[in-house]
Amino acid sequence: MRFEDYHISYEIKKNLSKLGFIKPTDIQFKSIPPILKGEDVLAIAQTGTGKTAAFAIPVIDMLAKRKNTDRKDGIKCLVMVPTRELAQQIADVFEKLSKHTRLKSYSLFGGVEQDAQISRLSESIDILITTPGRMFDLISQGHIRLDRIEILILDEADHMLDLGFIKDIIDVKRKLPSKHQTLFFSATINEKIKKLAYSLVKNPIRIQISPNDPVSKNVNHSVAYIKMDDKRFFLERLANENPESKILVFVRTKVRAERVFKAMERVNIKSVTIHGDKEQDDRFDVMSQFKKGEVKMLIATDISARGIDIPNVEYVVNYDLPDVPENYVHRVGRTGRGKEKGFAVSFCGEEEKLVLKEIEDFLGKEITETKIDKEDYHTTLDLTEDTDNNWKALLKQNEEFLKNKKKPRLSKKK
Ligand code: AMP
């Protein structure tokens, strides 16, 4: 089935075709019809499967049609998300898909001045995409009213739980009109999430994508055993061998992010970092450079990169393995988005083998090993441009030192 064959408005079809979306992805195929019928939906779909459009297409179609008959102002659809980047990204999809429909969408998040946001909110927004904190601030100041909401969407609900937003979600639900549609999207599922989901949705249509393999089938992912201290040389090699590819590198902490950045700088590889210590503007700036391909390597921590969609990321590198096994799925899901193919490789140090086992247990299968034979391993170390660590450079330096060293003169005894 193609989008052309759907009973959705001509404008949306045109917008989809502009984006190059011809056929629905799995999640879109399964979600669009029940959402259009007004059903509640509980969907388990990993990132990169096209889930944003899976809810945006039917929501835009329904609201655009209603807008022609019902002219009452007020926010009609509320999308709650865990991070600012995700809010922006979803708003971008809504904006692109709702061109020429008269619907207005807006993303709201903390960490920036609120005056401009308040003025935008007064311009009759139809679809609000928001992180919980700033929304509550503005509700309490009387700038946001939720009494016209017809559709509530929770995206990355599992991550919302991890970040402790459960009370916020329940509070929002209480403020909504009793009759509304709820769409609940999560990348992973466990007892806690199920409990939350069933407290929010009514007789939902349940949709699960690839239940046995949480990693998208478009991603070729593997593990390579590399000593902690040698990881940077392998990253350097990957970057040098793939100069045109975008590489997203995941590290455990902000300090590690800056350290890897410096290591790359020493070998003349341009990269940028994104983590919680960076100002919001800086984060957007860095993301934009990477998205446009002006910088090919982005070094990120888990929190800062959750849910973000960057087109054409060819490689994801787990420079450090994630402490939380679920995060493996989120990280490798940054590549192979939509219908693209992607590669993910985890650099596993000796001390990370236990974490790797936990990840494999979570996935329910072993991760394929990319074997590096001894010779290849040492060649990689030899090839580094990092003169502090380049064995060849050291040997050469040593040779020159010995050559230039003057023979010691024996001091004559008087
Ligand atoms: P998401 O899971 O919503 O973050 O989407 C992942 C990526 O898939 C995005 O880059 C979308 O542009 C792309 N995408 C979504 N739906 C389609 C489709 N039907 N055809 C091709 N690409 C798509």
Side-chain angles (χ1 to χ4, degrees):
M1 188 147 171
R2 298 157 76 90
F3 283 122
E4 275 170 19
D5 309 321
Y6 275 72
H7 287 291
I8 49 175
S9 74
Y10 167 75
E11 286 80 12
I12 302 179
K13 286 185 185 173
K14 215 166 125 189
N15 296 333
L16 282 165
S17 136
K18 254 201 188 145
L19 289 176
F21 294 7
I22 311 295
K23 282 184 180 168
T25 62
D26 257 14
I27 183 76
Q28 290 161 3
F29 181 74
K30 290 181 178 151
S31 311
I32 295 173
I35 298 177
L36 283 174
K37 277 194 205 145
E39 311 263 17
D40 278 7
V41 165
L42 195 173
I44 308 301
Q46 63 272 28
T47 45
T49 51
K51 64 193 166 96
T52 315
F55 57 76
I57 294 170
V59 164
I60 293 169
D61 190 61
M62 291 188 293
L63 295 185
K65 282 175 184 157
R66 286 177 208 166
K67 194 158 174 134
N68 291 333
T69 50
D70 171 14
R71 297 190 151 266
K72 276 187 206 146
D73 272 349
I75 302 164
K76 305 291 183 334
C77 172
L78 178 67
V79 188
M80 285 177 75
V81 297
T83 62
R84 302 155 189 183
E85 281 82 6
L86 189 56
Q88 268 231 322
Q89 184 182 300
I90 293 178
D92 189 47
V93 174
F94 268 102
E95 202 156 296
K96 287 186 175 138
L97 289 177
S98 64
K99 266 198 191 129
H100 314 295
T101 65
R102 297 203 297 139
L103 290 178
K104 277 193 194 151
S105 42
Y106 181 54
S107 63
L108 181 75
F109 40 78
V112 290
E113 288 289 317
Q114 62 172 43
D115 290 352
Q117 296 180 329
I118 293 170
S119 110
R120 274 302 297 274
L121 284 166
S122 64
E123 294 169 19
S124 92
I125 302 292
D126 301 287
I127 299 155
L128 182 69
I129 302 111
T130 178
T131 52
R134 179 57 58 94
M135 176 181 67
F136 277 105
D137 289 348
L138 297 184
I139 289 177
S140 66
Q141 295 170 37
H143 299 294
I144 298 179
R145 287 178 50 192
L146 301 179
D147 55 344
R148 294 254 161 82
I149 298 283
E150 296 167 15
I151 306 161
L152 170 68
I153 303 175
L154 292 160
D155 194 22
E156 303 240 344
D158 48 348
H159 194 201
M160 301 265 263
L161 273 184
D162 291 347
L163 295 178
F165 289 146
I166 181 159
K167 191 177 162 297
D168 297 327
I169 298 171
I170 291 166
D171 280 354
V172 163
K173 188 82 180 172
R174 284 206 196 102
K175 290 184 198 295
L176 304 185
S178 58
K179 197 170 159 279
H180 63 263
Q181 186 178 11
T182 303
L183 313 175
F184 187 103
F185 281 77
S186 176
T188 53
I189 184 98
N190 59 31
E191 279 312 310
K192 242 170 121 184
I193 294 158
K194 252 191 225 165
K195 211 170 137 207
L196 172 70
Y198 281 103
S199 72
L200 299 172
V201 292
K202 269 191 227 139
N203 302 323
I205 303 295
R206 288 168 44 180
I207 297 166
Q208 190 155 0
I209 301 297
S210 315
N212 297 325
D213 189 354
V215 177
S216 157
K217 52 182 183 299
N218 291 352
V219 182
N220 177 335
H221 62 123
S222 64
V223 57
Y225 295 102
I226 298 171
K227 283 189 193 147
M228 295 302 270
D229 287 344
D230 297 339
K231 289 182 176 184
R232 60 203 148 124
F233 307 125
F234 283 86
L235 182 60
E236 176 189 349
R237 180 170 167 184
L238 181 75
N240 284 334
E241 285 178 359
N242 300 279
E244 295 307 319
S245 302
K246 277 192 203 159
I247 305 177
L248 178 55
V249 183
F250 280 101
V251 291
R252 226 171 348 92
T253 62
K254 303 164 196 171
V255 175
R256 294 274 292 163
E258 291 304 324
R259 209 173 282 165
V260 178
F261 169 80
K262 292 236 165 69
M264 290 303 108
E265 197 176 43
R266 277 204 301 277
V267 295
N268 302 317
I269 291 174
K270 205 170 156 204
S271 68
V272 281
T273 60
I274 183 168
H275 51 67
D277 270 0
K278 297 224 152 177
E279 293 293 325
Q280 190 59 50
D281 283 349
D282 210 8
R283 284 162 64 162
F284 284 145
D285 189 40
V286 157
M287 287 304 302
S288 142
Q289 287 181 48
F290 187 61
K291 277 190 180 176
K292 288 186 198 147
E294 290 163 6
V295 179
K296 301 281 187 199
M297 186 186 285
L298 174 68
I299 305 163
T301 55
D302 284 302
I303 292 287
S304 61
R306 262 300 283 263
I308 52 174
D309 176 42
I310 306 153
N312 315 318
V313 171
E314 282 86 357
Y315 288 92
V316 164
V317 176
N318 285 323
Y319 194 88
D320 296 322
L321 290 190
D323 291 335
V324 182
E326 279 105 307
N327 283 348
Y328 182 86
V329 176
H330 299 302
R331 288 179 176 194
V332 303
R334 306 292 105 220
T335 182
R337 320 260 307 160
K339 300 207 178 280
E340 291 166 15
K341 297 259 174 264
F343 293 90
V345 59
S346 299
F347 291 175
C348 179
E350 191 58 37
E351 42 283 76
E352 291 175 302
K353 284 190 171 160
L354 261 179
V355 187
L356 177 69
K357 175 82 183 52
E358 280 172 24
I359 295 169
E360 292 182 328
D361 286 348
F362 176 75
L363 298 178
K365 62 177 183 187
E366 277 186 15
I367 300 172
T368 317
E369 183 186 344
T370 294
K371 288 215 164 74
I372 309 173
D373 65 35
K374 261 195 183 153
E375 200 182 324
D376 202 18
Y377 194 107
H378 289 299
T379 310
T380 305
L381 305 195
D382 284 352
L383 284 176
T384 180
E385 295 285 321
D386 187 340
T387 43
D388 286 350
N389 293 284
N390 183 329
W391 297 4
K392 274 186 189 155
L394 279 179
L395 285 174
K396 202 163 168 216
Q397 267 176 23
N398 200 30
E399 250 170 46
E400 267 164 27
F401 173 74
L402 289 174
K403 234 195 276 169
N404 295 337
K405 208 169 147 191
K406 292 196 177 112
K407 296 242 163 72
R409 274 194 293 158
L410 293 171
S411 53
K412 286 180 188 163
K413 272 187 186 164
K414 285 188 183 164

